[in-house]
Amino acid sequence: MTRDLTASIAAMGLSVGEFGRPELVEKPTREAELLFQGYAKAKPSKEDAYAAARTFVRGQPLDAWQRDLVASALAEPIREQSGATALASKRFPSLLASYQEEVKRGDLWRLTWHGLLYSYFNFDPEAGKDEPTRAGWEALRDFLESTWPLIDSQAGEDMVPDWVQVLRKEASVLTTGPVEKYSMDYLRGETEPTDRLAEDLGIPPSSWFWHALVLGAVRGATTEADAEFRRLVPQLLKLIQGKPGFRDEALETILIRYHACKGAPPDERLRDFVCQPSVWKNPKLKAAGIATAWNRVPDPVWRMVLGWVNERNLKDFFDILAARNNADEGRLAFWSKYLKQISWTRLVFGADTMALKRTNAGVRELIAREEGAYAQLTSKPEVDAFMMQVGSYLIIEFSKKPNACYVYQADQLPFEPYDRHYDGGTADLAAGFRVGCALRIVHREGWGWRAEQDLRQLGILPDEPAPRRVPAAGTTSTTAGTRPAERATSVAHGASPPGPDMATLNTLISRFRGASVDDRRTSSSGGRLWVEDPLNRVQLGSELTALGFKWANSRQAWYYPEI
C-alpha cells in the first residue's frame, strides 16, 4: 500500500513536497486568484475597442464581437470623426437597450458590463461638454445603476472579482450623488479612501469622478460657518486648479457663498485666481461681452469682485506708476477715502510703462492682470492715466505733473471710455482744460482740502461721513416734508401703497450705515418711496435695482417708480 501511494505521489509531481505544509498550497492558490482577478477585469486591446467605437460612430453595424468591444470605448473621442464619441451617437440608446435585455436574460458577459463601467469612469468632462455626450453619459450611469443588482446577484459568492466586491460596498458611485461620502474627507486631505477606490475600480486621473469630488468638496465647504468657509477657500482653489472639470460651477458656488459672508472682506487669492485670463478674466470686461463667465453669478457678487479689482488698481496706480515719478502727492490717501464708491476703473499706460514690462516684474504683473481691459496713451510716453467712476462722475488722474485731475459727468464725456488708445491731452482725457468739465483739480499745496469741498458740491462725499439719518430697526424714517399724521390716517383707512416689501427693504438698509428710507407715498400731496445713501455704495445700488428701484440724478437717490 505504501509503495502504491508513493508511486502515485511521484506520478503527480509532488514528491519534492511534504504533506502537512499548507504554504505549499496557499502560494499556488494566491497565484491562481491573482490570475482570476486579472481575467475578471481584463479589457480588450485599446486598438480593437477604438476600432469598434469608430465603426459604431460612423453608423456601421457591429458584429457580436464588436458589441462587446465597444463597451469599453464608449467615452473615447474618435479622431477620424472630429472627436465624436459613441455616447453622443443617436444609436447609443438602442445599444444600451440591447445590453439591458441581455442582463435580464443573464446572457450579458460580465466583462462586457465591466467594460461599460470603465467607460462610465473614463468620461472626461473637459472633452465632453456638449449636451449629447453629457446625456449619453447620464444614460450610461442610469443603466449601470439599474442593472447592478442583477449583475451582483449573478456574480454569486464564490470567486468574486475584486471590482464586484468593491461595488457591493460602494454602489453609491453609480448614483446621482457618487462622491458625497468622500468629498469632505478629500477636502481635509484624507485622500487614502478615494485613492484606494480609484485603484480598485480603475478610475483614471482624467475621470469626471475627480472633478465631481472637488465640486462636492466645494459645496460641502459652503455649509460651514463664515470663518471656517473663508479658511477653506485657499484649499478649495488648490483642488479646483488640479481638477478643473467643473471649475466654473465650483467658482460660482464659492463666490456666491463668499458674498454672503458678513462683511465679505477682499480675498486676494480668490480675486487673483478667478480674474486670470485663462479663468473668468477681469470682471471689468463683462460689459464688453468678453468676460461672459461673470454672467454666472448675480450682479451684486460680480460687483463685489469688481470692487476688489478697483481697489487694487487704485493702489497699483499710485504705488507703482505715480510713485515712479515721485508724483503721488498724497493722492492715494485722498482717493482711498472714496474707495467704497468707486464702481469702475481703467488703467491707461504710456509707452514707457509698456516698455518697462520687460525689466520690471511689478509692471509686468500689473499689465498682465489688466490684459484686455487697459488702454494706451499715444502722445505722452512718460505719462500713465487712471480712470475711476464715482457715482455719476468719471474722474481722470495722471501719473505725472503738471497734469491736473479732471472730473467729468459720466453721461457727457468728451471721449469714449472703452477706446483702446488715447492721445492723453486736450483732444480727449484732458479736454476739460479747454471745453470745461464738472471739476478740475490742480495738485498744489493744500489741494486735498479744496478738492474734498469741491467734490462735496457735486454730491461726492468721503466713505465715512457722519450719518444724516439712521432709521430705527423695523421702521421707516421720515423727513421734515413728511407729515406722520397723514401717514397714520392713510394706514388707518387701509391704504397699501405700491412698492417692495418694506420688511425686506428695511432689513437691506440696516446693513448699510448712513443709508435711510424716505417714504412719501402716503402724504396728502403724493410722493415716492426713496432710499438715500450718501456713500453711493455699489452693492446697495445693485440690490435696490434688483428690488425695482431706479436712480434719480437730480436728487442723487434711489426711488421706486409708480406702477
Side-chain angles (χ1 to χ4, degrees):
M1 178 68 69
T2 302
R3 287 196 305 272
D4 293 341
L5 180 57
T6 302
S8 298
I9 292 174
M12 295 170 63
L14 300 176
S15 57
V16 296
E18 299 178 22
F19 287 104
R21 296 183 59 188
E23 64 270 16
L24 297 178
V25 178
E26 290 171 356
K27 181 178 178 182
T29 300
R30 286 195 300 270
E31 292 174 348
E33 184 175 349
L34 288 173
L35 184 64
F36 165 76
Q37 294 296 350
Y39 282 123
K41 55 183 178 183
K43 294 187 293 291
S45 75
K46 294 195 68 171
E47 292 78 9
D48 291 344
Y50 181 89
R54 182 178 57 204
T55 298
F56 183 77
V57 170
R58 286 175 172 173
Q60 299 168 353
L62 302 177
D63 59 32
W65 179 236
Q66 287 175 316
R67 284 184 70 261
D68 291 317
L69 289 173
V70 76
S72 62
L74 295 174
E76 193 71 30
I78 305 302
R79 297 183 298 275
E80 297 87 344
Q81 298 299 122
S82 302
T85 65
L87 290 173
S89 170
K90 294 181 179 179
R91 304 169 62 204
F92 182 60
S94 61
L95 178 66
L96 271 188
S98 67
Y99 287 146
Q100 184 102 28
E101 288 302 315
E102 290 187 30
V103 172
K104 291 178 180 178
R105 296 194 305 266
D107 294 337
L108 185 70
W109 193 20
R110 192 161 62 190
L111 280 178
T112 301
W113 197 91
H114 182 264
L116 293 168
L117 181 69
Y118 174 80
S119 288
Y120 169 64
F121 283 119
N122 200 49
F123 173 67
D124 182 351
E126 284 288 279
K129 291 184 175 180
D130 60 287
E131 181 57 32
T133 303
R134 181 78 185 184
W137 175 78
E138 290 175 351
L140 175 59
R141 180 194 63 207
D142 294 342
F143 166 85
L144 292 170
E145 183 181 14
S146 64
T147 58
W148 163 243
L150 292 174
I151 295 296
D152 180 20
S153 176
Q154 293 166 13
E157 298 297 333
D158 298 325
M159 294 295 288
V160 177
D162 287 342
W163 61 267
V164 172
Q165 294 280 26
V166 173
L167 280 181
R168 283 175 174 173
K169 299 176 181 178
E170 311 293 345
S172 62
V173 296
L174 304 179
T175 69
T176 55
V179 298
E180 292 177 359
K181 63 184 297 184
Y182 301 107
S183 58
M184 291 309 291
D185 288 341
Y186 198 72
L187 177 59
R188 288 190 291 266
E190 299 171 11
T191 62
E192 195 272 335
T194 51
D195 291 341
R196 185 174 62 251
L197 178 72
E199 182 178 355
D200 291 340
L201 294 182
I203 303 175
S206 61
S207 172
W208 61 267
F209 176 84
W210 300 110
H211 304 282
L213 193 66
V214 170
L215 185 58
V218 168
R219 288 172 174 164
T222 62
T223 64
E224 301 287 346
D226 286 359
E228 177 63 11
F229 167 72
R230 288 173 51 202
R231 188 189 68 80
L232 290 172
V233 166
Q235 179 67 7
L236 294 176
L237 297 179
K238 182 178 179 181
L239 293 179
I240 294 171
Q241 196 167 20
K243 309 291 183 183
F246 296 116
R247 182 196 68 194
D248 290 347
E249 290 178 63
L251 285 175
E252 176 184 343
T253 303
I254 291 172
L255 288 169
I256 291 175
R257 174 65 182 88
Y258 198 96
H259 180 262
C261 290
K262 186 175 182 180
D267 186 298
E268 292 184 4
R269 280 175 289 195
L270 178 56
R271 176 199 65 198
D272 292 346
F273 182 87
V274 73
C275 293
Q276 292 180 87
S278 59
V279 186
W280 280 20
K281 301 183 176 67
N282 196 310
K284 291 187 290 187
L285 299 174
K286 175 187 174 184
I290 298 174
T292 56
W294 287 103
N295 292 321
R296 298 182 65 101
V297 296
D299 202 57
V301 178
W302 165 69
R303 289 188 179 277
M304 173 187 72
V305 183
L306 180 62
W308 297 351
V309 172
N310 290 338
E311 178 180 359
R312 179 180 59 187
N313 282 351
L314 177 67
K315 293 178 178 177
D316 284 347
F317 179 77
F318 291 110
D319 283 348
I320 298 176
L321 303 179
R324 196 172 76 240
N325 297 306
N326 297 315
D328 176 74
E329 299 140 340
R331 288 185 289 170
L332 174 58
F334 178 82
W335 290 115
S336 292
K337 295 188 297 184
Y338 303 86
L339 190 59
K340 295 179 182 178
Q341 302 171 64
I342 298 175
S343 59
W344 178 82
T345 59
R346 195 179 190 203
L347 290 165
V348 187
F349 300 124
D352 288 357
T353 295
M354 294 301 294
L356 270 177
K357 68 179 180 180
R358 293 191 294 269
T359 57
N360 187 305
V363 170
R364 182 166 57 251
E365 181 182 349
L366 172 58
I367 293 174
R369 285 201 308 262
E370 291 297 297
E371 184 65 40
Y374 68 81
Q376 296 185 55
L377 289 181
T378 57
S379 67
K380 298 181 177 181
E382 76 286 1
V383 177
D384 304 295
F386 182 66
M387 301 181 182
M388 52 184 158
Q389 182 159 356
V390 177
S392 58
Y393 292 94
L394 190 68
I395 301 167
I396 310 293
E397 274 279 18
F398 293 90
S399 64
K400 188 177 181 181
K401 290 181 178 180
N403 297 281
C405 169
Y406 294 91
V407 182
Y408 301 96
Q409 286 187 279
D411 58 354
Q412 298 179 26
L413 295 175
F415 54 85
E416 289 296 326
Y418 289 100
D419 278 350
R420 298 295 298 168
H421 295 87
Y422 298 100
D423 174 80
T426 55
D428 41 50
L429 300 186
F433 182 79
R434 289 183 177 175
V435 301
C437 55
L439 177 63
R440 182 169 176 265
I441 300 173
V442 180
H443 306 101
R444 299 191 184 99
E445 186 176 353
W447 71 269
W449 182 87
R450 291 191 301 271
E452 182 173 334
Q453 303 311 308
D454 291 339
L455 288 170
R456 284 181 179 273
Q457 294 299 314
L458 299 179
I460 301 175
L461 283 68
D463 287 339
E464 298 293 341
R468 289 188 295 175
R469 187 190 303 119
V470 180
T475 64
T476 57
S477 62
T478 62
T479 66
T482 305
R483 290 177 285 182
E486 292 175 347
R487 178 176 290 118
T489 301
S490 176
V491 172
H493 285 82
S496 178
D501 178 75
M502 293 304 296
T504 300
L505 178 61
N506 284 321
T507 300
L508 170 62
I509 298 305
S510 67
R511 291 164 42 203
F512 297 88
R513 182 183 177 189
S516 59
V517 175
D518 181 11
D519 193 350
R520 303 190 176 191
R521 294 172 297 172
T522 56
S523 67
S524 59
S525 58
R528 284 175 166 168
L529 173 64
W530 292 87
V531 171
E532 296 181 345
D533 178 22
L535 304 184
N536 284 334
R537 282 162 286 204
V538 172
Q539 184 176 347
L540 176 57
S542 298
E543 299 195 36
L544 288 172
T545 300
L547 291 177
F549 281 81
K550 294 186 176 181
W551 176 256
N553 280 325
S554 58
R555 181 169 167 175
Q556 292 289 294
W558 296 89
Y559 71 92
Y560 195 87
E562 293 94 343
I563 303 302

